[in-house]
């Protein structure tokens, strides 16, 4: 009777160890899955941030070009005003002396 009981315990031991090993593997797989999910979410968030920054850079470039154009128009306008005004005319001292 005792040898059958001992034999039964020996047979159950590998099954119990196998279940423990499977549980450990499942837990490890779960941790890996959670880590992958976290990394994927982080990558997606970074992609969205990059898209937002890229759109902002494009908007700033467009605004910069607009301001440059306005500055050129204003610069030309100021030059025209200065050339039309006698206050800003260059004086040639040699021609005045003659």
């Amino acid at each position: 009777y005792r040898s059958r009981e001992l034999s039964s315990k020996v047979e159950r031991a590998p099954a119990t160890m196998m279940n423990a090993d499977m549980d450990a593997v499942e837990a490890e797989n779960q941790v890996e899955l959670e880590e992958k999910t976290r990394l994927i979410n982080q990558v997606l968030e970074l992609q969205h941030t990059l898209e937002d920054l890229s759109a902002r850079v494009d908007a700033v470039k467009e605004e910069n070009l607009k301001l440059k154009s306005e500055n050129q128009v204003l610069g030309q306008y100021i030059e025209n005003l200065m050339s039309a005004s006698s206050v800003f005319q260059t004086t040639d001292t040699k021609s005045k002396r003659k």
Side-chain angles (χ1 to χ4, degrees), residues 20-45:
D21 289 343
M22 288 176 65
D23 289 344
V25 168
E26 284 181 27
E28 188 176 317
N29 287 343
Q30 182 65 28
V31 168
E32 286 181 16
L33 181 61
E34 289 172 1
E35 180 67 10
K36 285 179 184 178
T37 302
R38 187 186 67 77
L39 289 173
I40 288 170
N41 288 336
Q42 189 176 11
V43 165
L44 291 173
E45 184 179 334

Side-chain angles (χ1 to χ4, degrees), residues 25-82:
V25 168
E26 284 181 27
E28 188 176 317
N29 287 343
Q30 182 65 28
V31 168
E32 286 181 16
L33 181 61
E34 289 172 1
E35 180 67 10
K36 285 179 184 178
T37 302
R38 187 186 67 77
L39 289 173
I40 288 170
N41 288 336
Q42 189 176 11
V43 165
L44 291 173
E45 184 179 334
L46 289 171
Q47 282 179 334
H48 293 304
T49 301
L50 181 58
E51 289 171 359
D52 292 345
L53 289 172
S54 181
R56 178 69 179 133
V57 166
D58 289 342
V60 168
K61 282 181 179 179
E62 189 175 313
E63 181 70 15
N64 186 33
L65 288 174
K66 180 181 166 190
L67 291 173
K68 279 184 180 181
S69 176
E70 288 177 7
N71 282 344
Q72 287 177 339
V73 169
L74 288 173
Q76 187 63 46
Y77 178 73
I78 290 169
E79 281 182 35
N80 291 342
L81 285 176
M82 288 173 49

